[in-house]
Amino acid sequence: MKKYRVKEVFTPTTPARIAFIDRESINDKLVNALEMPGKQLIVYGHSGSGKTTLLANKLDQLYENHITTHCMKGMKFDQIVLDAFDQLDTYYPSELGTARKNTVSAELTATYFLIKSKLQASETTELTKKEQRILPPQLTPQALGKLLGAAKCCWILEDFHKIDDSEKTQLSQLMKVFMDLSDKYEDLKIVALGAVDTARQVVEYDNEMRNRVAEIHVELMTEPEIESIVKKGEAALNVAFEGELKTLIAKYSNGLASVCHHLCMYMCQAAGVEETATEQIVLDINHFESALRLYVEEASDSIRSAFEKALKQRRKTQYHHTNIILEALCSFNERGASRVELLQKIRRKIPKYPEISLKNTLEKLKTDDYGSMLRFNQTAGLFSFSDLIFRVFAMAHFRNNGVNQKNKGNSASSDVAQLIQLLEAEIKKSFPEGARLFIAKGV
Ligand SMILES: Nc1ncnc2c1ncn2[C@@H]1O[C@H](COP(=O)(O)OP(=O)(O)O)[C@@H](O)[C@H]1O
Ligand SMILES: [Mg+2]
């Protein structure tokens, strides 16, 4: 039996490989788009839905080469182009003289070195910092396309939604140039990834490009998908999750595979499993409980900081919108509530609460700036907390603040032990399978 380390199998913060599962619902669409010459891709969906992992695994299976640019807020389009150019380093010979041996044409290699020398020259003369480098006029969209195309490279733009709208227009232009070049370079392709609700929020492209852009929505995982991750892990590590634990983990993960990887990793840790066991080891509810405790402890700082972001009052306004809305959302079950339901709930307390404030604030609460507190399920039309822990934390927060205003800054919700209790209570209430397990154990 092949031996794996637990952290190679359960990967809460990096793309899964060993425990990677194919996503039936999108696999064909993604593979077709990746294989079709000239097709540009926009992959979108909630943060944590598995976009990066999916791409990483599929590119390994299907593509010769790829480069990845990680986009950040405030990044200019020129910098993005320069980042791609810098990464071409590995595909072009380090000396002009060896160019002919390479598959890349001599002319392109010459272009590459010309641009490289221009960049170096401007760096030494102006002593500019890397972030402020100037795009040499020779590094045109066509030139970049040819250089990438000749290297058989696909270009991944991670988190493209973070780029300012004014810069985004240029990407759509670049995509158009790449489409035109695909006659000659069939591997040339841009894949833009964004944690947003629609493809157009990632790249606003022209209607005439419609047929040549594939929009791929990565949904949060279904419970059977998450259970498959646990099963893959079981097989790789020679462990067995007892009884209904797989179902419980899947439910608890609430669509987020990273939660599943975290819990499984901590359960192995609790059972002293570090690598593939020689004889099968059984993981039970006690391990699950330890894992949950560790997960909450570990996450508590980031949960707190997410809440600080969400609840911070940016301006003096009549209402504390985020407070009002998150508190209202707590009164619904974990599946969440529609906007109309939320409005009704809020207006019972504040009859004149403006609908537009609700609409705007809900949008904000989905963004990084507000701790990515909420998610919106398009199919069901429901807003919910993006992580079950957020929901439990919010319930504790509002309960405590409601009862005891004096303790506001130091609410007992910061108390991990209490949070765990609430989590367990929540599990018992929401997930009958979990309840049975806890009851069996006598918790
Ligand atoms: N298909 C998959 N199979 C197994 N684990 C996955 C899969 N997709 C994502 N994951 C896990 O989920 C977590 C988040 O995935 P990621 O690709 O970073 O999401 P996104 O890029 O959409 O934010 C990671 O821990 C990753 O290992
Ligand atoms: Mg990602």
Side-chain angles (χ1 to χ4, degrees):
M1 186 175 211
K2 194 164 171 359
K3 270 203 189 295
Y4 297 104
R5 282 174 306 154
V6 168
K7 58 184 174 191
E8 290 174 290
V9 177
F10 294 122
T11 51
T13 52
T14 51
R17 303 277 183 188
I18 295 157
F20 172 76
I21 53 135
D22 262 316
R23 313 283 299 270
E24 290 300 331
S25 54
I26 31 185
N27 196 48
D28 289 352
K29 207 174 162 193
L30 180 64
V31 170
N32 286 342
L34 280 172
E35 287 184 331
M36 188 170 310
K39 196 76 141 181
Q40 310 297 307
L41 274 79
I42 300 174
V43 179
Y44 66 100
H46 194 278
S47 162
S49 59
K51 301 178 292 295
T52 305
T53 304
L54 199 57
L55 246 296
N57 281 276
K58 288 293 142 188
L59 286 174
D60 282 355
Q61 291 168 12
L62 302 170
Y63 243 80
E64 202 159 318
N65 301 317
H66 65 266
I67 58 172
T68 304
T69 297
H70 296 275
C71 300
M72 276 165 297
K73 218 168 150 177
M75 211 165 165
K76 297 280 176 230
F77 185 75
D78 285 4
Q79 288 170 257
I80 295 176
V81 170
L82 281 170
D83 184 78
F85 180 80
D86 288 342
Q87 294 188 53
L88 282 170
D89 234 13
T90 36
Y91 304 105
Y92 286 82
S94 53
E95 307 241 337
L96 194 48
T98 57
R100 273 179 198 83
K101 282 185 233 141
N102 203 286
T103 47
V104 176
S105 78
E107 190 197 329
L108 263 183
T109 310
T111 310
Y112 174 80
F113 281 102
L114 175 67
I115 296 169
K116 200 166 171 168
S117 68
K118 294 277 173 199
L119 273 170
Q120 279 162 350
S122 75
E123 269 158 36
T124 44
T125 52
E126 292 164 37
L127 284 172
T128 45
K129 284 206 196 89
K130 201 174 177 192
E131 298 83 51
Q132 300 159 339
R133 289 189 309 168
I134 298 158
L135 202 64
Q138 291 84 357
L139 187 49
T140 57
Q142 276 82 4
L144 180 69
K146 286 179 185 171
L147 289 167
L148 282 166
K152 296 186 187 301
C153 243
C154 164
W155 183 20
I156 316 297
L157 289 163
E158 274 274 2
D159 291 335
F160 194 72
H161 63 283
K162 292 186 179 163
I163 300 297
D164 288 341
D165 285 345
S166 55
E167 305 294 308
K168 280 184 180 172
T169 335
Q170 299 185 60
L171 185 78
S172 128
Q173 295 307 314
L174 191 66
M175 278 188 162
K176 212 183 257 174
V177 172
F178 278 32
M179 288 171 189
D180 294 338
L181 285 171
S182 66
D183 235 6
K184 183 147 183 233
Y185 304 105
E186 50 173 53
D187 297 315
L188 187 57
K189 201 178 282 294
I190 291 177
V191 183
L193 274 70
V196 281
D197 295 327
T198 66
R200 296 287 172 118
Q201 284 171 279
V202 187
V203 186
E204 178 93 36
Y205 57 89
D206 300 342
N207 261 332
E208 57 182 284
M209 293 158 71
R210 213 181 49 226
N211 290 330
R212 305 177 71 179
V213 175
E215 301 184 349
I216 294 172
H217 183 212
V218 181
E219 304 222 19
L220 288 164
M221 283 198 187
T222 61
E223 283 169 17
E225 280 175 333
I226 295 204
E227 279 193 47
S228 319
I229 298 177
V230 186
K231 283 182 198 149
K232 278 217 155 172
E234 269 185 330
L237 294 167
N238 195 19
V239 295
F241 290 77
E242 199 177 58
E244 288 162 298
L245 274 176
K246 283 198 277 286
T247 319
L248 182 60
I249 294 169
K251 296 220 179 227
Y252 185 82
S253 301
N254 208 11
L256 294 172
S258 69
V259 177
C260 161
H261 283 273
H262 261 127
L263 290 174
C264 292
M265 188 175 83
Y266 291 151
M267 282 180 75
C268 289
Q269 238 171 56
V273 179
E274 281 173 15
E275 56 177 25
T276 307
T278 14
E279 267 171 58
Q280 194 182 60
I281 293 176
V282 176
L283 303 173
D284 61 26
I285 188 76
N286 294 304
H287 299 123
F288 178 77
E289 230 190 348
S290 315
L292 202 57
R293 179 153 296 144
L294 209 59
Y295 180 56
V296 175
E297 272 166 10
E298 192 125 284
S300 62
D301 280 345
S302 61
I303 301 169
R304 251 192 294 279
S305 106
F307 269 88
E308 271 161 25
K309 282 186 188 173
L311 297 178
K312 187 167 91 187
Q313 262 193 306
R314 273 108 174 136
R315 291 180 288 124
K316 264 266 161 275
T317 47
Q318 186 184 355
Y319 302 114
H320 192 324
H321 299 293
T322 51
N323 240 326
I324 293 170
I325 293 168
L326 292 180
E327 183 165 15
L329 188 58
C330 283
S331 62
F332 295 87
N333 70 17
E334 77 282 350
R335 293 187 60 241
S338 69
R339 206 170 76 207
V340 177
E341 289 170 329
L342 280 168
L343 190 65
Q344 283 170 347
K345 173 83 198 167
I346 293 170
R347 283 194 174 160
R348 256 176 251 157
K349 232 176 170 179
I350 314 168
K352 291 214 172 107
Y353 190 75
E355 186 171 3
I356 184 76
S357 303
L358 175 63
K359 187 166 180 249
N360 292 340
T361 312
L362 283 171
E363 282 311 307
K364 287 182 190 156
L365 282 167
K366 290 193 297 184
T367 63
D368 279 353
D369 280 353
Y370 286 73
S372 306
M373 193 56 46
L374 300 189
R375 70 162 78 142
F376 180 64
N377 178 330
Q378 237 158 353
T379 339
L382 300 176
F383 287 91
S384 65
F385 285 98
S386 53
D387 189 317
L388 191 65
I389 282 201
F390 283 167
R391 174 175 147 77
V392 175
F393 194 93
M395 292 192 318
H397 176 85
F398 292 115
R399 187 179 308 163
N400 292 325
N401 283 356
V403 174
N404 189 352
Q405 287 294 332
K406 266 184 284 174
N407 275 345
K408 215 169 187 169
N410 182 27
S411 74
S413 60
S414 56
D415 182 358
V416 171
Q418 190 196 355
L419 203 54
I420 299 274
Q421 261 183 5
L422 282 161
L423 262 175
E424 288 178 352
E426 180 71 3
I427 290 171
K428 280 184 205 168
K429 208 167 68 205
S430 314
F431 312 135
E433 291 84 352
R436 250 180 282 138
L437 287 166
F438 279 111
I439 290 161
K441 203 188 139 235
V443 179

